Amino acid sequence: MPPRTSDSEDERPRGRYETLRANIGWVIDHPVCEKVIIIMVFNYISLTFVQLVVFDVVTSQQMHALDVIDLTLCCIFILKVSLKAFAFGRFYFLEPLNAVDILCVLLAFFLSLGSLTIEDDLVDRIARMRGVLRIFRLLHVYNQFQEEFALGLAKKKQGGVCY
């Protein structure tokens, strides 16, 4: 159960739906979960470089395997974005970086899906743009990492628990 800062009625979830949203928000914003996502994004960036560097060298079977890994990571990021949108509601979409992140994740997902399902050189060239989208994801994660690091330092100075 997420820790509560106050027992006032205004801050407590009112029903099962609100409790579920609060619990999902607490889990998805937990530092351990954020660190796992950060590691996955860095692996996602590494996948970009591998795909760009070895594009002409690998067989179509190996490229297909890389595309499947790419699609799997995209699905995980869509799950994360969906959970955050459910947990935080419309406020999640009001922050511009979150809106750009959602757009990048969805666009990368559709490009990855197109790369796997459509056998065409033009589609493959367009799908290679996923690398640019991953850089935007990296910028978003870097911003989250900075905020988490600053929050951790503030908690340490106050004598709080830091994960």
Side-chain angles (χ1 to χ4, degrees):
M1 180 68 102
R4 303 274 182 231
T5 56
S6 170
D7 286 335
S8 74
E9 284 296 318
D10 294 337
E11 292 185 20
R12 250 190 241 162
R14 290 172 183 68
R16 288 183 180 174
Y17 178 75
E18 289 84 8
T19 302
L20 178 64
R21 286 180 63 178
N23 289 340
I24 288 173
W26 182 79
V27 168
I28 205 79
D29 268 353
H30 194 276
V32 173
C33 185
E34 286 292 331
K35 288 174 185 168
V36 168
I37 295 294
I38 288 170
I39 289 169
M40 289 176 64
V41 168
F42 281 113
N43 288 332
Y44 195 53
I45 297 295
S46 301
L47 179 65
T48 300
F49 291 122
V50 167
Q51 284 179 323
L52 291 175
V53 169
V54 300
F55 183 75
D56 297 330
V57 181
V58 297
T59 65
S60 63
Q61 224 176 11
Q62 292 167 331
M63 188 54 84
H64 181 76
L66 290 173
D67 285 340
V68 168
I69 293 169
D70 180 50
L71 184 63
T72 304
L73 288 171
C74 283
C75 288
I76 291 169
F77 294 138
I78 285 176
L79 177 65
K80 177 209 169 227
V81 165
S82 299
L83 288 174
K84 280 198 169 203
F86 174 73
F88 303 118
R90 69 176 187 266
F91 299 108
Y92 180 69
F93 298 103
L94 294 178
E95 187 176 326
L97 269 179
N98 289 340
V100 170
D101 187 41
I102 292 166
L103 182 66
C104 288
V105 167
L106 290 175
L107 196 54
F109 172 76
F110 287 118
L111 287 173
S112 183
L113 195 60
S115 176
L116 279 171
T117 57
I118 301 171
E119 295 292 327
D120 186 35
D121 287 337
L122 179 62
V123 172
D124 284 338
R125 286 187 195 130
I126 293 171
R128 289 170 89 185
M129 289 177 40
R130 292 176 295 199
V132 175
L133 297 173
R134 291 180 191 137
I135 291 171
F136 282 118
R137 288 259 327 136
L138 181 63
L139 293 174
H140 181 72
V141 167
Y142 177 73
N143 186 40
Q144 286 178 327
F145 181 73
Q146 278 186 323
E147 290 173 3
E148 183 182 321
F149 185 72
L151 183 64
L153 287 178
K155 282 184 179 180
K156 227 177 198 179
K157 286 181 182 178
Q158 294 175 355
V161 177
C162 202
Y163 297 97

